[in-house]
Amino acid sequence: MTDETPQAAATTEIPANPEATGAPLDPATPVRLRAAIDALPAYTPGRPASAPEGVTAYKISSNENPFPPLPSVLDAVRSAAADMNRYPDMAVTGLTAALAERLDVPAARIATGPGSVGVLGQLVAATCGPGDEVVFAWRSFEAYPILVTLSGATPVQVPLAAGARHDLDAMAAAITDRTRLVLVCTPNNPTGTTVGAAELEAFLDRVPDDVLVVIDEAYLEFVTAPDSPDALAIHRARPNVAVLRTFSKAHGLAGLRVGYAVAHEPVAEALRKAAIPFGVNALAQVAAVASLEAADELAVRVKELVAERERVVEALREQGWDVPYQQANFVWFDLGEDTAAFAAACQEVGLTVRPYGTDGARATIAEREANDRLIEVAGTFLASRRG
Ligand SMILES: *Cc1c(COP(=O)(O)O)cnc(C)c1O
């Protein structure tokens, strides 16, 4: 190519900094984008914290763990950081082996990814194409409709039943011959409810055995309900069931991005194939291994957060709130049309909660001071709402 070619001429004319020349920052482009992109709801991240002068702000909108990283995990990450010029272990060997041992499953059944949202993307990519259907409850995790729509598949959202719980009967009825994937989120984000072991088994009996059922257990560690399912045992007994877990919540590694699925070998193999190469970074790999080794220390923290959850739920019920049975590290406020007003009232006292349209709001169990403030603002709000 010579300097006379139009391409070369055009290239040299593009200003290095369009802002400096007043050129449009975002010129129209004839590039054709997929129609599925237009249909995508944007993921709403938790808003950053903000508070009035002199008041500590708390971001309780993303279900993060309020505890700082464990010293042993931080040490492992610091050491690994010295090798960041190298690619991570693409096979995620160390973490996979550690998980296999801890969960007592063959390593071939484990597939990792950049957060369990990453693994979920792999699950959808491995099972669905355009026209296929994915059944899940709604409201549930915001990432579900985004990932499904992105793949070109159709989200089939089944409204929650009374008590903000999965309506497993309606979900079974929503399965068609186009269904490839069913997502069961327990505890459910954002409503905090679990499915019962017996009702889940009865549901699974009704799902065709060529449809993959994924039990999303992002909040497993916080569950205390005696009737909650043992998803790993169900996975062992049923070839079409996979379990999805994350290091983001109880393990407190949200910023490092690592999660995994336990699935039967052909499915797990498909998930590894569908993964973005080197998706689980080196720091995340060593941190997750160190975190598994620190299980006892973590359990103490989880116990404290569960105790705080119980304290908050009890206080809210005493105030008169109708709080569903809460099993995760957050509480759900069923607010309807008052959702935005509640979120604003929380913001005024420095608490950033997560509002969901006109359904309700979710608040993460966080530092004790934040929890106390949440109880207080909820009480005031309820009193003023009653006039
Ligand atoms: C937080 C969450 C996840 C996991 O998120 P990652 O940080 O991507 O691991 C998965 N499912 C649900 C329901 C969640 O709330």
Side-chain angles (χ1 to χ4, degrees), residues 265-350:
E265 209 173 316
V267 175
E269 177 63 20
L271 297 181
R272 288 188 287 269
K273 285 183 182 169
I276 291 172
F278 305 109
V280 184
N281 73 74
L283 306 189
Q285 293 189 31
V286 297
V289 171
S291 199
L292 288 172
E293 281 164 7
D296 294 348
E297 268 175 286
L298 272 184
V300 175
R301 295 174 161 200
V302 166
K303 211 170 153 190
E304 203 174 313
L305 289 171
V306 168
E308 277 293 276
R309 176 189 76 206
E310 296 304 312
R311 181 175 76 86
V312 171
V313 167
E314 215 167 289
L316 295 175
R317 288 198 179 128
E318 262 168 40
Q319 292 171 353
W321 286 94
D322 182 13
V323 186
Y325 191 44
Q326 297 296 284
Q327 287 290 293
N329 66 338
F330 53 82
V331 285
W332 172 248
F333 293 86
D334 184 356
L335 290 151
E337 299 293 334
D338 292 340
T339 300
F342 179 78
C346 290
Q347 197 62 68
E348 258 172 49
V349 298

Side-chain angles (χ1 to χ4, degrees), residues 65-127:
N65 195 315
F67 290 98
L70 289 170
S72 59
V73 175
L74 212 46
D75 278 349
V77 169
R78 283 206 180 98
S79 310
D83 293 323
M84 67 168 78
N85 54 314
R86 305 292 176 189
Y87 278 104
D89 170 9
M90 188 166 140
V92 196
T93 318
L95 175 57
T96 302
L99 285 169
E101 193 191 323
R102 190 153 303 257
L103 306 175
D104 193 22
V105 295
R109 288 199 193 178
I110 292 169
T112 55
S116 55
V117 168
V119 184
L120 206 55
Q122 293 157 226
L123 280 159
V124 175
T127 54

Side-chain angles (χ1 to χ4, degrees), residues 2-302:
T2 70
D3 278 346
E4 278 75 49
T5 62
Q7 286 91 340
T11 305
T12 53
E13 271 163 30
I14 290 176
N17 179 0
E19 220 163 346
T21 64
L25 279 173
D26 204 1
T29 166
V31 169
R32 276 193 279 179
L33 300 171
R34 287 173 58 219
I37 300 294
D38 286 333
L40 278 184
Y43 186 95
T44 317
R47 291 207 298 158
S50 71
E53 279 272 316
V55 174
T56 310
Y58 290 101
K59 175 179 174 243
I60 52 172
S61 53
S62 298
N63 296 342
E64 291 158 344
N65 195 315
F67 290 98
L70 289 170
S72 59
V73 175
L74 212 46
D75 278 349
V77 169
R78 283 206 180 98
S79 310
D83 293 323
M84 67 168 78
N85 54 314
R86 305 292 176 189
Y87 278 104
D89 170 9
M90 188 166 140
V92 196
T93 318
L95 175 57
T96 302
L99 285 169
E101 193 191 323
R102 190 153 303 257
L103 306 175
D104 193 22
V105 295
R109 288 199 193 178
I110 292 169
T112 55
S116 55
V117 168
V119 184
L120 206 55
Q122 293 157 226
L123 280 159
V124 175
T127 54
C128 295
D132 291 334
E133 295 172 357
V134 181
V135 173
F136 53 89
W138 199 251
R139 279 201 182 261
S140 190
F141 189 31
E142 272 187 287
Y144 296 163
I146 297 174
L147 292 170
V148 172
T149 305
L150 186 58
S151 77
T154 305
V156 177
Q157 305 181 201
V158 179
L160 295 171
R165 305 183 71 244
H166 276 50
D167 187 342
L168 291 173
D169 268 337
M171 286 175 70
I175 294 173
T176 71
D177 55 5
R178 296 312 307 261
T179 308
R180 292 290 171 275
L181 183 62
V182 177
L183 305 171
V184 176
C185 188
T186 181
N188 187 46
N189 176 6
T191 62
T193 55
T194 45
V195 300
E199 62 173 343
L200 181 59
E201 294 282 3
F203 168 74
L204 292 169
D205 286 342
R206 294 173 63 184
V207 179
D209 61 8
D210 61 352
V211 173
L212 181 66
V213 179
V214 173
I215 305 174
D216 185 344
E217 293 195 311
Y219 302 96
L220 169 74
E221 293 87 345
F222 303 104
V223 173
T224 52
D227 71 332
S228 66
D230 179 345
L232 263 188
I234 296 172
H235 151 80
R236 286 193 182 90
R238 296 181 185 261
N240 65 331
V241 172
V243 179
L244 187 63
R245 293 187 180 167
T246 179
F247 284 91
S248 295
K249 308 286 161 56
H251 284 269
L253 301 180
L256 284 176
R257 315 305 305 132
V258 54
Y260 63 95
V262 181
H264 290 274
E265 209 173 316
V267 175
E269 177 63 20
L271 297 181
R272 288 188 287 269
K273 285 183 182 169
I276 291 172
F278 305 109
V280 184
N281 73 74
L283 306 189
Q285 293 189 31
V286 297
V289 171
S291 199
L292 288 172
E293 281 164 7
D296 294 348
E297 268 175 286
L298 272 184
V300 175
R301 295 174 161 200
V302 166

